[in-house]
Amino acid sequence: MTRRLLRPDRLMPLVSLLVAVLAFAASPLVSGRPLQLFDAYNALQGFAQLGLLALAIGITMIAGEFDLSVAGTYALGGMVAVSAGAAHPVLGVLAAVGAGAAIGAVQGGLIARLRIPSMPVTLATYIALLGLTYAMSGGLSKTFPNSDATLWVDQTIAGVLSPRSLLTLAAFLAAAVVLGFTKLGRELRAIGGDRRASRVAGVRVDRLLVAVFTTSGTLAALGGALLSYSYASANPDPGLQPLILAAVAALLGGVSLAGGRGTALGLLAGGLSVALLAQVVATTALPDFSTQLLYAALLAVIVAIESPGLHQMVDRLRARRADPDGAATGGATTEGLS
Protein backbone atom coordinates (compact mmCIF):
# COMPACT_ATOMS: atom_id res chain seq x y z
CA MET A 1 0.00 0.00 0.00
CA THR A 2 2.83 2.39 0.91
CA ARG A 3 4.65 1.68 -2.37
CA ARG A 4 1.48 2.47 -4.35
CA LEU A 5 1.11 5.81 -2.57
CA LEU A 6 4.75 6.65 -3.35
CA ARG A 7 4.16 6.31 -7.09
CA PRO A 8 4.47 9.75 -8.79
CA ASP A 9 0.95 9.62 -10.25
CA ARG A 10 -0.42 9.24 -6.72
CA LEU A 11 2.12 11.09 -4.60
CA MET A 12 2.27 14.30 -6.63
CA PRO A 13 -1.51 14.98 -6.63
CA LEU A 14 -1.74 14.26 -2.89
CA VAL A 15 1.19 16.52 -2.01
CA SER A 16 0.00 19.29 -4.35
CA LEU A 17 -3.51 19.28 -2.94
CA LEU A 18 -2.25 19.11 0.65
CA VAL A 19 0.05 22.11 0.10
CA ALA A 20 -2.75 24.08 -1.59
CA VAL A 21 -5.24 23.32 1.21
CA LEU A 22 -2.72 24.31 3.89
CA ALA A 23 -1.91 27.55 2.05
CA PHE A 24 -5.63 28.29 1.69
CA ALA A 25 -6.23 27.60 5.40
CA ALA A 26 -3.28 29.78 6.39
CA SER A 27 -4.20 32.72 4.12
CA PRO A 28 -5.94 34.64 6.98
CA LEU A 29 -2.50 35.06 8.59
CA VAL A 30 -1.57 37.28 5.63
CA SER A 31 -4.92 38.80 4.68
CA GLY A 32 -5.93 39.60 8.27
CA ARG A 33 -9.50 38.37 7.81
CA PRO A 34 -11.02 34.96 8.48
CA LEU A 35 -11.95 32.65 5.65
CA GLN A 36 -15.56 32.74 4.56
CA LEU A 37 -17.78 30.30 2.70
CA PHE A 38 -17.65 32.62 -0.29
CA ASP A 39 -13.89 32.06 -0.54
CA ALA A 40 -14.48 28.34 -1.05
CA TYR A 41 -17.18 29.15 -3.60
CA ASN A 42 -14.78 31.39 -5.53
CA ALA A 43 -12.09 28.70 -5.47
CA LEU A 44 -14.52 26.16 -6.94
CA GLN A 45 -15.59 28.68 -9.57
CA GLY A 46 -11.96 29.02 -10.53
CA PHE A 47 -11.74 25.23 -10.68
CA ALA A 48 -14.78 25.18 -12.98
CA GLN A 49 -13.03 27.68 -15.25
CA LEU A 50 -9.93 25.54 -15.83
CA GLY A 51 -11.00 22.04 -14.78
CA LEU A 52 -12.42 20.87 -18.10
CA LEU A 53 -9.36 22.20 -19.93
CA ALA A 54 -7.07 20.35 -17.51
CA LEU A 55 -9.03 17.15 -18.06
CA ALA A 56 -8.90 17.64 -21.84
CA ILE A 57 -5.14 18.15 -21.87
CA GLY A 58 -4.59 15.44 -19.27
CA ILE A 59 -6.22 12.61 -21.20
CA THR A 60 -4.21 13.45 -24.33
CA MET A 61 -1.01 13.51 -22.26
CA ILE A 62 -1.83 10.09 -20.80
CA ALA A 63 -2.04 8.86 -24.41
CA GLY A 64 1.40 10.31 -25.11
CA GLU A 65 0.10 13.32 -27.05
CA PHE A 66 -0.50 17.02 -26.31
CA ASP A 67 -3.48 19.03 -27.54
CA LEU A 68 -2.46 22.68 -27.92
CA SER A 69 -5.70 23.42 -29.77
CA VAL A 70 -7.80 23.24 -26.58
CA ALA A 71 -7.28 26.98 -26.03
CA GLY A 72 -8.69 27.74 -29.49
CA THR A 73 -11.54 25.24 -29.04
CA TYR A 74 -12.22 26.86 -25.67
CA ALA A 75 -12.62 30.26 -27.36
CA LEU A 76 -14.64 28.88 -30.26
CA GLY A 77 -16.95 26.96 -27.92
CA GLY A 78 -17.78 30.15 -26.06
CA MET A 79 -18.36 32.08 -29.28
CA VAL A 80 -20.62 29.39 -30.76
CA ALA A 81 -22.62 29.04 -27.55
CA VAL A 82 -23.19 32.79 -27.24
CA SER A 83 -24.12 33.12 -30.92
CA ALA A 84 -26.47 30.14 -31.04
CA GLY A 85 -27.84 30.10 -27.50
CA ALA A 86 -29.29 33.56 -26.96
CA ALA A 87 -32.86 32.25 -27.04
CA HIS A 88 -32.14 28.62 -26.11
CA PRO A 89 -28.98 28.29 -23.96
CA VAL A 90 -29.00 24.47 -24.07
CA LEU A 91 -28.99 24.60 -27.86
CA GLY A 92 -25.99 26.91 -27.73
CA VAL A 93 -24.09 24.48 -25.48
CA LEU A 94 -24.95 21.55 -27.75
CA ALA A 95 -23.78 23.48 -30.81
CA ALA A 96 -20.50 24.34 -29.06
CA VAL A 97 -19.94 20.76 -27.92
CA GLY A 98 -20.69 19.46 -31.42
CA ALA A 99 -18.19 21.88 -32.95
CA GLY A 100 -15.53 20.89 -30.41
CA ALA A 101 -16.11 17.18 -30.99
CA ALA A 102 -15.84 17.63 -34.77
CA ILE A 103 -12.59 19.59 -34.46
CA GLY A 104 -11.13 16.95 -32.15
CA ALA A 105 -12.20 14.09 -34.41
CA VAL A 106 -10.56 15.67 -37.47
CA GLN A 107 -7.32 16.28 -35.57
CA GLY A 108 -7.32 12.77 -34.13
CA GLY A 109 -7.89 11.29 -37.57
CA LEU A 110 -4.98 13.22 -39.07
CA ILE A 111 -2.64 12.31 -36.23
CA ALA A 112 -3.63 8.64 -36.20
CA ARG A 113 -3.83 7.96 -39.93
CA LEU A 114 -0.85 9.99 -41.08
CA ARG A 115 1.28 9.13 -38.02
CA ILE A 116 2.32 12.76 -37.53
CA PRO A 117 3.16 14.40 -34.19
CA SER A 118 0.27 16.07 -32.39
CA MET A 119 2.14 19.30 -31.54
CA PRO A 120 2.30 20.85 -35.05
CA VAL A 121 -1.23 19.68 -35.92
CA THR A 122 -2.83 21.08 -32.78
CA LEU A 123 -0.76 24.28 -32.94
CA ALA A 124 -1.98 24.92 -36.48
CA THR A 125 -5.55 24.21 -35.37
CA TYR A 126 -5.18 26.61 -32.44
CA ILE A 127 -4.07 29.42 -34.76
CA ALA A 128 -6.85 28.66 -37.24
CA LEU A 129 -9.50 28.60 -34.51
CA LEU A 130 -8.41 31.97 -33.17
CA GLY A 131 -8.74 33.37 -36.68
CA LEU A 132 -12.22 31.85 -36.94
CA THR A 133 -13.39 33.33 -33.64
CA TYR A 134 -12.07 36.75 -34.71
CA ALA A 135 -14.00 36.44 -37.96
CA MET A 136 -17.18 35.46 -36.11
CA SER A 137 -16.99 38.40 -33.70
CA GLY A 138 -15.21 41.04 -35.76
CA GLY A 139 -12.36 40.94 -33.24
CA LEU A 140 -14.62 42.12 -30.40
CA SER A 141 -16.20 40.37 -27.44
CA LYS A 142 -19.70 39.13 -28.20
CA THR A 143 -22.37 39.84 -25.56
CA PHE A 144 -24.69 37.09 -24.32
CA PRO A 145 -28.09 38.70 -23.63
CA ASN A 146 -29.75 35.81 -21.76
CA SER A 147 -29.37 36.96 -18.15
CA ASP A 148 -31.40 34.02 -16.82
CA ALA A 149 -28.81 31.55 -18.12
CA THR A 150 -25.98 33.67 -16.72
CA LEU A 151 -27.56 33.73 -13.27
CA TRP A 152 -28.32 30.01 -13.39
CA VAL A 153 -24.82 28.73 -14.18
CA ASP A 154 -23.35 30.64 -11.22
CA GLN A 155 -26.13 30.33 -8.63
CA THR A 156 -24.90 29.01 -5.28
CA ILE A 157 -25.71 25.45 -4.24
CA ALA A 158 -25.00 24.52 -0.61
CA GLY A 159 -23.02 27.73 -0.30
CA VAL A 160 -19.92 26.56 -2.18
CA LEU A 161 -21.07 24.88 -5.40
CA SER A 162 -22.72 26.08 -8.61
CA PRO A 163 -24.20 24.30 -11.66
CA ARG A 164 -20.96 25.10 -13.51
CA SER A 165 -18.71 23.54 -10.87
CA LEU A 166 -21.06 20.55 -10.50
CA LEU A 167 -20.94 19.88 -14.26
CA THR A 168 -17.14 20.02 -14.09
CA LEU A 169 -17.04 17.60 -11.17
CA ALA A 170 -19.44 15.29 -13.04
CA ALA A 171 -17.07 15.23 -16.02
CA PHE A 172 -14.18 14.19 -13.75
CA LEU A 173 -16.34 11.48 -12.16
CA ALA A 174 -17.23 10.07 -15.58
CA ALA A 175 -13.56 10.15 -16.61
CA ALA A 176 -12.59 8.39 -13.36
CA VAL A 177 -15.01 5.57 -14.12
CA VAL A 178 -13.76 5.17 -17.70
CA LEU A 179 -10.05 5.42 -16.90
CA GLY A 180 -10.19 3.37 -13.73
CA PHE A 181 -12.68 0.60 -14.41
CA THR A 182 -12.84 -0.05 -18.15
CA LYS A 183 -10.65 -1.57 -20.82
CA LEU A 184 -10.40 1.84 -22.50
CA GLY A 185 -8.52 3.26 -19.54
CA ARG A 186 -5.95 0.47 -19.59
CA GLU A 187 -5.51 0.77 -23.35
CA LEU A 188 -5.12 4.55 -23.11
CA ARG A 189 -2.22 4.20 -20.68
CA ALA A 190 -0.79 1.40 -22.79
CA ILE A 191 -0.55 3.47 -25.98
CA GLY A 192 0.99 6.31 -23.98
CA GLY A 193 3.62 4.00 -22.51
CA ASP A 194 4.55 1.99 -25.63
CA ARG A 195 2.52 2.55 -28.79
CA ARG A 196 4.33 -0.05 -30.90
CA ALA A 197 3.82 -2.76 -28.29
CA SER A 198 0.16 -1.76 -28.01
CA ARG A 199 -0.33 -2.26 -31.74
CA VAL A 200 1.32 -5.67 -31.53
CA ALA A 201 -0.97 -6.57 -28.62
CA GLY A 202 -4.02 -5.80 -30.74
CA VAL A 203 -5.01 -2.41 -29.31
CA ARG A 204 -6.87 -0.31 -31.88
CA VAL A 205 -4.53 2.63 -31.47
CA ASP A 206 -5.87 4.76 -34.33
CA ARG A 207 -9.47 4.49 -33.21
CA LEU A 208 -8.52 5.25 -29.61
CA LEU A 209 -6.52 8.34 -30.61
CA VAL A 210 -9.51 9.69 -32.55
CA ALA A 211 -11.71 9.09 -29.50
CA VAL A 212 -9.20 10.83 -27.20
CA PHE A 213 -8.96 13.97 -29.32
CA THR A 214 -12.74 14.01 -29.85
CA THR A 215 -13.21 13.92 -26.08
CA SER A 216 -10.59 16.62 -25.61
CA GLY A 217 -12.33 18.93 -28.07
CA THR A 218 -15.72 18.25 -26.48
CA LEU A 219 -14.48 19.08 -22.97
CA ALA A 220 -12.69 22.25 -24.09
CA ALA A 221 -15.74 23.54 -25.99
CA LEU A 222 -18.02 22.78 -23.04
CA GLY A 223 -15.71 24.68 -20.71
CA GLY A 224 -15.65 27.67 -23.04
CA ALA A 225 -19.43 27.67 -23.41
CA LEU A 226 -20.06 27.57 -19.65
CA LEU A 227 -17.49 30.31 -19.00
CA SER A 228 -19.01 32.58 -21.67
CA TYR A 229 -22.46 32.11 -20.16
CA SER A 230 -21.00 32.97 -16.75
CA TYR A 231 -19.32 36.15 -18.04
CA ALA A 232 -22.31 37.00 -20.30
CA SER A 233 -19.86 37.45 -23.18
CA ALA A 234 -17.49 35.50 -25.39
CA ASN A 235 -13.86 36.57 -25.80
CA PRO A 236 -12.37 35.82 -29.25
CA ASP A 237 -8.88 35.38 -27.75
CA PRO A 238 -8.60 34.18 -24.13
CA GLY A 239 -4.81 34.22 -24.41
CA LEU A 240 -2.41 31.47 -23.39
CA GLN A 241 -3.06 31.64 -19.64
CA PRO A 242 -5.92 29.07 -19.67
CA LEU A 243 -3.68 26.65 -21.57
CA ILE A 244 -0.76 27.22 -19.20
CA LEU A 245 -2.86 26.81 -16.05
CA ALA A 246 -4.50 23.68 -17.43
CA ALA A 247 -1.10 22.17 -18.26
CA VAL A 248 0.18 23.01 -14.76
CA ALA A 249 -2.93 21.40 -13.25
CA ALA A 250 -2.40 18.25 -15.35
CA LEU A 251 1.25 17.97 -14.32
CA LEU A 252 0.43 18.57 -10.65
CA GLY A 253 -2.16 15.85 -11.09
CA GLY A 254 0.59 13.31 -11.71
CA VAL A 255 0.38 13.00 -15.49
CA SER A 256 3.73 12.06 -17.00
CA LEU A 257 5.39 14.25 -19.61
CA ALA A 258 6.30 11.03 -21.45
CA GLY A 259 2.75 9.62 -21.41
CA GLY A 260 1.35 6.36 -20.09
CA ARG A 261 0.64 7.62 -16.58
CA GLY A 262 -2.15 9.52 -14.88
CA THR A 263 -5.63 9.22 -13.36
CA ALA A 264 -8.79 11.30 -13.47
CA LEU A 265 -8.74 11.72 -9.68
CA GLY A 266 -5.16 12.91 -9.91
CA LEU A 267 -6.19 15.47 -12.53
CA LEU A 268 -9.02 16.54 -10.23
CA ALA A 269 -6.53 17.09 -7.40
CA GLY A 270 -4.26 19.07 -9.74
CA GLY A 271 -7.12 21.30 -10.89
CA LEU A 272 -8.26 21.93 -7.32
CA SER A 273 -4.68 22.72 -6.29
CA VAL A 274 -4.27 25.41 -8.96
CA ALA A 275 -7.69 26.89 -8.15
CA LEU A 276 -6.97 27.03 -4.42
CA LEU A 277 -3.56 28.66 -4.96
CA ALA A 278 -5.15 31.26 -7.24
CA GLN A 279 -7.72 32.00 -4.55
CA VAL A 280 -4.94 32.35 -1.95
CA VAL A 281 -3.26 34.98 -4.15
CA ALA A 282 -6.60 36.80 -4.53
CA THR A 283 -7.54 36.78 -0.84
CA THR A 284 -4.07 37.88 0.31
CA ALA A 285 -3.95 40.66 -2.33
CA LEU A 286 -0.52 39.55 -3.53
CA PRO A 287 0.78 41.17 -6.75
CA ASP A 288 -0.38 39.51 -9.96
CA PHE A 289 3.16 38.56 -10.96
CA SER A 290 3.46 36.42 -7.83
CA THR A 291 0.99 33.96 -9.36
CA GLN A 292 3.17 33.50 -12.44
CA LEU A 293 6.26 33.06 -10.26
CA LEU A 294 4.46 30.47 -8.16
CA TYR A 295 3.36 28.44 -11.18
CA ALA A 296 6.84 28.70 -12.71
CA ALA A 297 8.34 27.34 -9.48
CA LEU A 298 5.83 24.48 -9.45
CA LEU A 299 6.69 23.58 -13.05
CA ALA A 300 10.41 23.64 -12.24
CA VAL A 301 9.82 21.22 -9.36
CA ILE A 302 7.73 18.94 -11.59
CA VAL A 303 10.37 18.89 -14.33
CA ALA A 304 13.05 18.11 -11.75
CA ILE A 305 10.99 15.24 -10.32
CA GLU A 306 10.40 13.88 -13.83
CA SER A 307 14.10 14.11 -14.72
CA PRO A 308 15.56 10.69 -15.69
CA GLY A 309 18.94 11.76 -14.33
CA LEU A 310 17.43 12.44 -10.92
CA HIS A 311 15.72 9.05 -10.93
CA GLN A 312 19.03 7.33 -11.76
CA MET A 313 20.78 9.22 -8.97
CA VAL A 314 18.13 8.17 -6.44
CA ASP A 315 18.37 4.55 -7.62
CA ARG A 316 22.16 4.59 -7.18
CA LEU A 317 21.85 6.03 -3.66
CA ARG A 318 19.31 3.34 -2.76
CA ALA A 319 21.59 0.64 -4.13
CA ARG A 320 24.54 1.92 -2.08
CA ARG A 321 22.48 2.03 1.10
CA ALA A 322 21.12 -1.47 0.45
CA ASP A 323 24.60 -2.95 -0.17
CA PRO A 324 27.30 -0.75 1.41
CA ASP A 325 29.81 -3.65 1.56
CA GLY A 326 29.40 -4.33 -2.14
CA ALA A 327 29.98 -0.65 -2.95
CA ALA A 328 33.13 -0.63 -0.84
CA THR A 329 34.38 -3.86 -2.44
CA GLY A 330 33.67 -2.48 -5.89
CA GLY A 331 35.67 0.64 -5.06
CA ALA A 332 38.64 -1.38 -3.78
CA THR A 333 38.59 -3.61 -6.86
CA THR A 334 38.63 -0.59 -9.12
CA GLU A 335 41.61 0.87 -7.29
CA GLY A 336 43.53 -2.42 -7.59
CA LEU A 337 42.94 -2.60 -11.33
CA SER A 338 44.10 0.94 -11.82
Side-chain angles (χ1 to χ4, degrees):
M1 183 68 177
T2 303
R3 291 186 65 183
R4 289 183 64 186
L5 288 176
L6 291 177
R7 286 166 44 186
D9 58 333
R10 298 178 184 273
L11 181 62
M12 196 175 296
L14 287 174
V15 172
S16 301
L17 187 56
L18 178 61
V19 169
V21 169
L22 291 176
F24 182 71
S27 60
L29 299 176
V30 179
S31 65
R33 69 170 185 83
L35 287 173
Q36 300 174 359
L37 205 59
F38 190 69
D39 294 320
Y41 170 82
N42 274 342
L44 286 174
Q45 289 294 89
F47 164 72
Q49 182 173 342
L50 68 91
L52 292 175
L53 271 186
L55 184 58
I57 289 178
I59 60 174
T60 60
M61 291 175 68
I62 293 172
E65 304 290 347
F66 196 89
D67 190 359
L68 289 171
S69 70
V70 293
T73 309
Y74 191 64
L76 181 67
M79 193 63 66
V80 169
V82 166
S83 300
H88 303 285
V90 175
L91 180 62
V93 172
L94 291 176
V97 167
I103 292 166
V106 171
Q107 290 188 119
L110 289 173
I111 292 166
R113 299 297 180 185
L114 302 180
R115 308 286 175 88
I116 52 180
S118 58
M119 293 284 281
V121 175
T122 57
L123 178 59
T125 304
Y126 165 67
I127 296 171
L129 291 178
L130 287 187
L132 181 57
T133 55
Y134 266 93
M136 292 175 64
S137 65
L140 302 173
S141 295
K142 190 175 182 64
T143 303
F144 182 60
N146 194 323
S147 58
D148 291 337
T150 297
L151 293 173
W152 182 82
V153 295
D154 286 335
Q155 67 176 318
T156 56
I157 300 173
V160 296
L161 295 167
S162 70
R164 192 154 61 97
S165 60
L166 282 175
L167 286 171
T168 304
L169 289 170
F172 276 93
L173 178 61
V177 171
V178 173
L179 293 179
F181 301 100
T182 69
K183 181 181 177 182
L184 287 175
R186 295 189 295 272
E187 290 181 343
L188 184 64
R189 280 183 279 270
I191 68 172
D194 192 333
R195 189 158 301 177
R196 180 176 297 178
S198 299
R199 292 185 190 275
V200 172
V203 177
R204 296 182 176 179
V205 174
D206 293 351
R207 185 174 297 183
L208 191 54
L209 283 176
V210 173
V212 165
F213 277 93
T214 301
T215 303
S216 176
T218 300
L219 292 170
L222 177 60
L226 293 175
L227 182 66
S228 294
Y229 281 3
S230 173
Y231 285 177
S233 67
N235 185 354
D237 184 5
L240 288 176
Q241 187 174 21
L243 177 64
I244 294 171
L245 295 183
V248 171
L251 292 170
L252 288 179
V255 175
S256 172
L257 293 169
R261 192 186 76 201
T263 65
L265 292 180
L267 289 168
L268 173 62
L272 288 172
S273 300
V274 172
L276 284 170
L277 291 174
Q279 184 61 23
V280 168
V281 172
T283 55
T284 55
L286 293 174
D288 291 339
F289 67 83
S290 61
T291 308
Q292 280 73 26
L293 291 176
L294 176 62
Y295 294 144
L298 288 174
L299 281 175
V301 171
I302 292 168
V303 171
I305 292 174
E306 292 283 349
S307 169
L310 180 62
H311 291 176
Q312 293 172 4
M313 186 184 302
V314 172
D315 290 340
R316 286 197 297 268
L317 289 174
R318 286 177 177 174
R320 289 177 182 175
R321 289 181 180 179
D323 189 14
D325 296 334
T329 303
T333 304
T334 303
E335 289 178 5
L337 290 174
S338 60

